[in-house]
Amino acid sequence: MTTTPPSEDPVAVQLLAIINDPTAPEGDQLDAAMDLEDHSGAWFEQEIFEILRREDFSSVLAQMCAASLAGIWAREDRIDEKFFPELRRTALDEVLGILGARAPHLIPEGMQEG
């Protein structure tokens, strides 16, 4: 996967700016998190990973970001094998649910729901 410079995807940059702005209304942050799935790039995923870590994988914002991340992975037919083991709590549940529905073959062995 090639790394797309942030300047080439201004919408993605704006979505991340909203999510990372502590003064942004929660509703705006959640809406932005839901729209993350429509974008891609290694730099972009790294930013999502940082948000998930900051949110301790458990907030509603983390859940929305995790759902978008899983959507990206399902669309691109791959996961980030280095980051996946870090997932936990509601973020992990969200990723497993989305991948289970859209790309179950991507779920690492032993991680399937149920």
Side-chain angles (χ1 to χ4, degrees):
M1 174 170 58
T2 59
T3 302
T4 304
S7 62
E8 292 186 19
D9 191 347
V11 174
V13 171
Q14 183 62 34
L15 292 172
L16 291 170
I18 292 167
I19 293 168
N20 288 316
D21 179 355
T23 65
E26 181 182 27
D28 291 352
Q29 290 179 323
L30 297 177
D31 287 346
M34 286 188 286
D35 292 340
L36 295 175
E37 182 177 343
D38 298 328
H39 304 274
S40 298
W43 68 272
F44 187 67
E45 284 188 32
Q46 291 301 315
E47 292 293 320
I48 296 172
F49 300 163
E50 290 306 312
I51 293 165
L52 290 170
R53 290 176 183 125
R54 180 185 75 219
E55 295 292 317
D56 199 28
F57 301 92
S58 61
S59 69
V60 174
L61 181 59
Q63 185 178 352
M64 295 292 135
C65 288
S68 287
L69 181 62
I72 292 167
W73 288 346
R75 175 172 39 87
E76 294 187 352
D77 198 35
R78 60 160 188 83
I79 62 170
D80 185 296
E81 294 181 12
K82 292 180 182 174
F83 180 73
F84 197 98
E86 280 189 58
L87 288 167
R88 59 187 189 281
R89 299 188 174 138
T90 56
L92 175 61
D93 294 341
E94 196 67 34
V95 168
L96 291 175
I98 300 271
L99 290 181
R102 294 173 50 186
H105 62 282
L106 296 177
I107 299 173
E109 191 172 323
M111 295 292 300
Q112 287 79 9
E113 286 187 309

